[in-house]
Every structure is written in structure tokens, then in C-alpha cells.
Amino acid sequence: MVSSRLSKKFRKHKDTILFAVCLLFSLSLLVFSTPAGIGGIGKIGFSLVSVVQKGYYGAVGFFSGTVNSISELKKLKSEYEELKKTVEENYHFLNTLENLRVENELLKEQMHISRQLTYEHITTNVIAKDPGNFHSYFKIGCGSREGVQKYMPVIVSQRGKYGLVGLVIMTGYSSSEVMPLFSNGCSVAARLLESRYDGLVSGLGYTSDYILMKYVSQAANEEIKIGDLVVTSGMQSIYPYGIPIGYVDQIVSGKGETTITLYLKPVIEFSQLEYVQVLKAKTPEL
Amino acid sequence: MYYNIRNKRIIIHFIVLMIMAVMQGLFIRFFDYFWGNINIALVYFIFLSFYLGKSVSYKIGFCFGLLLDCFGATYGFYAFIFALLGYVTGLFSGKFYLSGILLPVLFTLILSLFYFATGTVLLYIFFTVTWSRLLINAAIQTLLNILLSPLAAFLFRRYFFRRVGIVENGRQ
């Protein structure tokens, strides 16, 4: 009943109401689209429009940004892969460079020792070691083709010092086997550099850090000091004279014995052998 | 049948109004040299509203105004003015007969001034008003509208009024 009355009234004043709506709509459009207005209404309207616009552009920006970010992500991924590859290559290159640098230093050192040596020699590298027999016989990369013969002495230079490594016991065409100084079967005629006493140096096997110098005269007991250098004496005609062997570390003297035994610390580090020199000349002039 | 023809006519008049507005926009530079321009769309709208009556006129005015606003930077300015103008003009519909020269001229003068007054009020509220420019523009445009009004009245009387079949006393 009430609704029918209302609808009748609405029909009667339909034009007036619609007209008022049109005017209000126009005014609100004006209010919302202009920065100035009645008091702060215009500003509020403008701010609201700005907020709506910001929201709209924010939403549009978000979606376009999301869509763009997918393609951006793909691009970044491919760039990342390329960079990863480049980094790996550079890392490999740096490793190679570092290896070359170290090798270059080693070779320079070998070159230095080669120039110091006054007799004919062959510089070569260690190509094989027996992994089950630590510090035992090892192979070098030159043989009879290069003129290497059995019983040729082998020396090495480490950190500016050179010392005796051992001697060639077998030669092949392009490689040779070397018996190191610390091996049980190795014997070298040696001499204390300061006191000039002679003796015989022999190995204690690969498990020991020392080598022995036996048959040193008891008379030398008072003259020998810890740290004295022992060199080859040249008496065997295998090893040239004056090649450093080791430093005196312990002196053992038994009661009633005519000789004393010295424990020597080798001049070189056998576990770091890389490049060695095979001395060809039998007459030493070091 | 009658309403169909009438609606068609209204649509055609609306299109004509739009064409006039566009033409006016095209020639506005030329008329700007005289510190004012002729508003043929306004004259046309005034006479159209007079013959159609308030119930249709304010709707046409509102739509026409909205379209004009679309070309501008602000919305609602022309929609408000033309809706109000259409309603006010429609109130006179059927009250008198627009014959001769004096009556159309007076009619156009009053409604043009009303148009400018409404526009000025809106400008004053929502924008800034350059009074000198506005007054000169209003004076020149009103004068040009007045000069155009007898011709408009004649054309409407002769073609639109008879063909659509609107009765002179305002009853449709």
C-alpha cells in the first residue's frame, strides 16, 4: 500500500527527481574533477580522485610489473646462467693461472740451480711414486734416450737449497727409477763439512724421519755440533763432492766403541719432490 | 508509431547538436579574434528545448553537456549548465508562440544570459574567473546569438515544429 503510494508519487515527480539527480551528478563530477571547490570539498574530492587514480595506476602498475617481471626473470635467469658459466671459466682460468705461477716459480728455481751447477745435468720431473711404499723408489721422466745411466746421482733444489736425493738404479728408454737416500739399501760416502770427518750415510727406511751417518771416528765426538752440515765426500766416485745431505740432529756414542753414529735430518723434504736434476758428470766440480 | 518517430527526431537533433558543437570547435579560432565566438549549438539547443519541453530537454542537455565535457578537462561543467538550461527553457514550452523577431530575440537574450550566469557561478565556485574576459565574451556571444535567433526561430517553426507534430499549446 505504502509502496504503491510511493511509486505513484515517484511517477508523478519522476522528471523532477531525475532532473535533480542529473544536476547532482554533474555537480559531483565537477567537485571530484576540480582541485578547487567550496571550502575543502573540492580538495577532498580532488584528493579522493587522486587516491582512486593512484590506486588504479598502482593496480595497473602491479599487474604490468608482474607481467614484466616474468619476462625480466627469464632474462635474468639466462643472464645468471651466462654469468655462472663465465665465473666457472674464470675460476678455471684462475686455477690454471695459479698452477702456472707455482710451476713457473719452481722452474725458475730449477733454472737457478741449473745455472749454478758446473757440470752436465738433466732436469726432469718425478712422474710416479709408489703409493703403497711411501717415500720409497720413484720414477723420473728421463731415461737412456736422454743419456741417463745407472748409478747417476740425483739432486734437487728446494727453497733455495739443494741436496742429495738418491741415485738412479734402473733406466728405461724414457724413464728411470731412483733409489732415495733414506732407503735401506742406499749408502753414500759423506763428510762433515766443518770438522772434515768422514762416514757412511745410509737410510733407515721410509718410516723414519732420519738418516744415519755411521763409522764416524770417536775422535770427532768433541768437535761435532748439532746442526753441522754433512755433504758427500766424493770418495765413491758415484756422488760428486760437496752435495748437501743433512744436518746433524743427534750424536750416539757407545762405550768402548771406536766410532760414533750420527742421526741426520735431511736437507730436503722428500715428500715434496717435483723437479730433480740427474748429474751426468762423474767428476764433480760443484 | 508517434513515439518512434519522435524518438528518432530527438536522436537526429542530438546528432545535429553534436555536429554543431564540433563545427563550433573548428571555427573557434577564427571567432576568437573578436574576443568571443558564436554559439550556434546553444541557440539550437534553446529552440529545441522550447519545442520539446522540459521532460526531454534536460535529458538531452545533460547528455550533450557530458559529451562536451569529454572534450574538456573537467567533467560535469557543461552537463550541469545544459541540463539546467534545458529544464528552464522547457518550462516556457507552450507558454507563448515564438513568432516575429522580437520574441525570439528576447527569448534568446534571456536564456543566453542565464547560460552565462550559470557558467559564471560555476566558474566562480570551482575555478577562477577572469571577469573582463568573461564579460566581453558573454556580451559578444549573446549579441551573436541574438542575431542568429530570428533565423533559428523561423527554421524551427517551419520544419521541426510541423513535421514532428508538436502542438503549440505544449500538449504532446
Side-chain angles (χ1 to χ4, degrees):
Chain A
M1 190 70 180
V2 178
S3 62
S4 64
R5 273 184 190 175
L6 278 172
S7 64
K8 271 182 186 176
K9 272 190 179 179
F10 178 75
R11 278 176 198 164
K12 196 181 175 183
H13 300 288
K14 195 180 96 179
D15 278 336
T16 317
I17 292 165
L18 208 59
F19 172 64
V21 168
C22 283
L23 289 187
L24 278 172
F25 182 71
S26 308
L27 273 177
S28 29
L29 273 177
L30 254 178
V31 166
F32 282 100
S33 63
T34 50
I38 308 161
I41 295 170
K43 283 178 185 173
I44 294 164
F46 189 71
S47 305
L48 282 172
V49 170
S50 303
V51 168
V52 172
Q53 281 176 334
K54 272 185 184 175
Y56 170 75
Y57 285 115
V60 169
F62 172 74
F63 285 113
S64 61
T66 308
V67 171
N68 285 339
S69 66
I70 292 167
S71 59
E72 193 78 9
L73 203 66
K74 275 187 181 174
K75 195 181 164 189
L76 283 172
K77 198 181 173 185
S78 63
E79 277 181 5
Y80 168 76
E81 291 297 332
E82 277 178 25
L83 284 171
K84 201 177 162 186
K85 201 177 168 185
T86 312
V87 166
E88 276 173 8
E89 281 173 4
N90 284 345
Y91 183 71
H92 180 70
F93 175 74
L94 278 173
N95 267 347
T96 314
L97 202 70
E98 181 62 19
N99 288 340
L100 284 171
R101 190 186 66 79
V102 172
E103 200 171 344
N104 185 43
E105 278 182 12
L106 279 169
L107 287 169
K108 269 169 81 178
E109 196 177 352
Q110 300 308 315
M111 180 76 83
H112 179 69
I113 193 72
S114 292
R115 281 177 183 165
Q116 279 188 335
L117 293 172
T118 54
Y119 42 84
E120 199 180 346
H121 63 276
I122 303 161
T123 300
T124 184
N125 58 335
V126 177
I127 57 169
K129 287 179 185 174
D130 186 1
N133 198 10
F134 192 61
H135 292 330
S136 188
Y137 296 179
F138 58 87
K139 282 188 175 175
I140 54 174
C142 59
S144 55
R145 184 181 59 185
E146 287 82 14
V148 178
Q149 291 173 9
K150 203 175 176 182
Y151 303 129
M152 278 186 170
V154 179
I155 63 166
V156 71
S157 171
Q158 284 178 345
R159 291 175 285 276
K161 294 174 184 174
Y162 63 92
L164 186 68
V165 176
L167 80 161
V168 177
I169 53 162
M170 195 184 288
T171 54
Y173 179 68
S174 60
S175 64
S176 306
E177 198 164 50
V178 177
M179 181 173 67
L181 190 61
F182 58 81
S183 186
N184 284 321
C186 186
S187 296
V188 182
R191 179 175 291 160
L192 284 151
L193 193 65
E194 291 288 322
S195 56
R196 314 301 292 173
Y197 287 100
D198 292 328
L200 189 68
V201 170
S202 59
L204 285 169
Y206 62 89
T207 52
S208 177
D209 289 335
Y210 297 96
I211 45 178
L212 283 181
M213 185 174 176
K214 294 183 279 188
Y215 312 121
V216 180
S217 172
Q218 185 72 40
N221 198 5
E222 290 176 359
E223 292 180 47
I224 298 168
K225 289 179 288 201
I226 303 296
D228 277 356
L229 181 65
V230 177
V231 297
T232 50
S233 64
M235 287 171 75
Q236 274 179 308
S237 75
I238 293 177
Y239 301 101
Y241 168 76
I243 301 171
I245 296 172
Y247 300 102
V248 177
D249 195 71
Q250 290 174 41
I251 304 164
V252 179
S253 171
K255 279 184 180 178
E257 288 182 5
T258 54
T259 58
I260 55 172
T261 304
L262 306 176
Y263 281 84
L264 307 180
K265 194 86 176 165
V267 173
I268 59 163
E269 182 57 61
F270 284 94
S271 60
Q272 290 178 347
L273 290 178
E274 204 167 347
Y275 288 95
V276 292
Q277 279 84 32
V278 182
L279 304 181
K280 288 170 90 174
K282 292 194 176 179
T283 308
E285 287 180 11
L286 197 69
Chain B
M1 184 68 180
Y2 165 76
Y3 283 106
N4 280 341
I5 294 167
R6 192 165 172 273
N7 287 341
K8 275 183 186 174
R9 291 283 172 189
I10 288 167
I11 291 163
I12 289 165
H13 280 293
F14 186 78
I15 293 164
V16 171
L17 257 178
M18 285 309 299
I19 291 166
M20 282 180 172
V22 172
M23 279 176 67
Q24 202 169 286
L26 288 172
F27 292 110
I28 200 162
R29 282 191 177 183
F30 172 74
F31 288 108
D32 248 13
Y33 288 117
F34 303 102
W35 282 66
N37 52 71
I38 192 165
N39 200 337
I40 47 171
L42 178 65
V43 177
Y44 192 88
F45 180 71
I46 287 169
F47 282 93
L48 186 69
S49 302
F50 180 77
Y51 285 107
L52 286 176
K54 64 174 184 181
S55 59
V56 181
S57 301
Y58 77 86
K59 290 171 193 165
I60 293 176
F62 179 72
C63 295
F64 176 62
L66 272 182
L67 284 167
L68 283 181
D69 284 328
C70 288
F71 297 123
T74 54
Y75 297 102
F77 184 78
Y78 284 110
F80 184 89
I81 293 173
F82 275 96
L84 190 63
L85 188 68
Y87 191 83
V88 170
T89 314
L91 287 173
F92 295 106
S93 183
K95 298 286 189 293
F96 50 86
Y97 185 65
L98 282 175
S99 60
I101 296 172
L102 189 63
L103 209 57
V105 166
L106 276 174
F107 186 68
T108 311
L109 174 69
I110 291 163
L111 288 167
S112 292
L113 288 175
F114 179 76
Y115 169 82
F116 275 106
T118 316
T120 308
V121 170
L122 288 181
L123 278 176
Y124 183 75
I125 295 168
F126 295 104
F127 303 93
T128 49
V129 181
T130 314
W131 288 103
S132 56
R133 171 86 187 183
L134 183 79
L135 290 172
I136 291 167
N137 202 338
I140 292 170
Q141 198 176 104
T142 308
L143 188 67
L144 290 169
N145 289 349
I146 287 166
L147 289 173
L148 195 67
S149 61
L151 178 66
F154 170 75
L155 289 171
F156 266 86
R157 251 195 340 261
R158 183 161 182 126
Y159 296 102
F160 175 74
F161 175 68
R162 287 192 177 172
R163 285 190 180 183
V164 173
I166 294 170
V167 184
E168 261 189 72
N169 62 8
R171 289 178 192 170
Q172 297 173 357

